Amino acid sequence: LYRPGAATARGLWGNGLLVAVDGRERVHVFDGAIGAILRFDSAGTFERAATLPEPLVGRLRARARLTYADFGGKPDPSSRAVNVGNLTVSSDGDLLLSFFDPEIFALIINPDSYVATEVRVPSDSASWRATRGARLVSSDDTVFALTLSHLNALVLRPDTSAR
């Protein structure tokens, strides 16, 4: 899955997990089965874990159960699985975890503290529709969302509504 010297900033699927390697060659793994992100050093030693914040993780788990039922499965009410888009490392070293959620588009996660900042895009906007299923890359205050047919740039700005 990972070997030192082969660091990459793009998210990879491996054994059903999302994996990203930061500039310090630490391996960050998002485990959708439990809704948690784990950090390992380049030698594979476990360093830290954090779960997604509530109420986001609750909504993602409910959506995952509905999706499972839509495909004919019997949803397990105790399932902790969540559906996410991808995990990447930004140009400034933060982790970017995207979602299929009408309220929160992505989380920008500090790779040291695992403190998360929400990225919100109104679900009734063209930006939200254009970024569904996109591969994300961020640079400074801009998130680039790449799909097979489009490249969209979203400029991030602080939410001042709570001030």
Side-chain angles (χ1 to χ4, degrees):
L1 186 62
Y2 171 76
R3 62 184 187 282
T8 179
R10 44 184 194 104
L12 302 173
W13 277 104
N15 300 326
L17 306 170
L18 289 174
V19 179
V21 180
D22 67 21
R24 295 178 8 203
E25 293 200 354
R26 295 179 301 181
V27 180
H28 303 271
V29 179
F30 181 79
D31 185 344
I34 59 173
I37 189 165
L38 309 124
R39 184 177 69 215
F40 301 87
D41 67 15
S42 61
T45 303
F46 173 77
E47 292 183 338
R48 183 180 182 105
T51 57
L52 293 178
E54 289 289 351
L56 173 63
V57 72
R59 285 195 315 270
L60 294 172
R61 286 180 176 142
R63 186 165 289 110
R65 288 190 288 272
L66 289 174
T67 300
Y68 187 72
D70 287 346
F71 285 98
K74 183 177 179 195
D76 178 358
S78 66
S79 172
R80 297 174 49 85
V82 299
N83 291 336
V84 298
N86 61 45
L87 176 67
T88 58
V89 179
S90 70
S91 62
D92 60 3
D94 286 335
L95 301 171
L96 184 65
L97 183 64
S98 66
F99 301 100
F100 304 110
D101 184 79
E103 294 181 35
I104 299 174
F105 171 66
L107 290 177
I108 296 174
I109 303 168
N110 178 296
D112 297 316
S113 66
Y114 275 6
V115 171
T117 302
E118 297 176 351
V119 178
R120 294 179 174 268
V121 176
S123 61
D124 60 348
S125 70
S127 295
W128 187 86
R129 288 186 300 278
T131 56
R132 297 297 88 194
R135 174 63 88 189
L136 302 181
V137 178
S138 70
S139 178
D140 300 321
D141 64 348
T142 305
V143 173
F144 296 95
L146 177 65
T147 65
L148 290 175
S149 60
H150 293 87
L151 173 63
N152 297 284
L154 305 167
V155 177
L156 305 178
R157 61 179 188 264
D159 181 3
T160 57
S161 62
R163 293 182 188 168

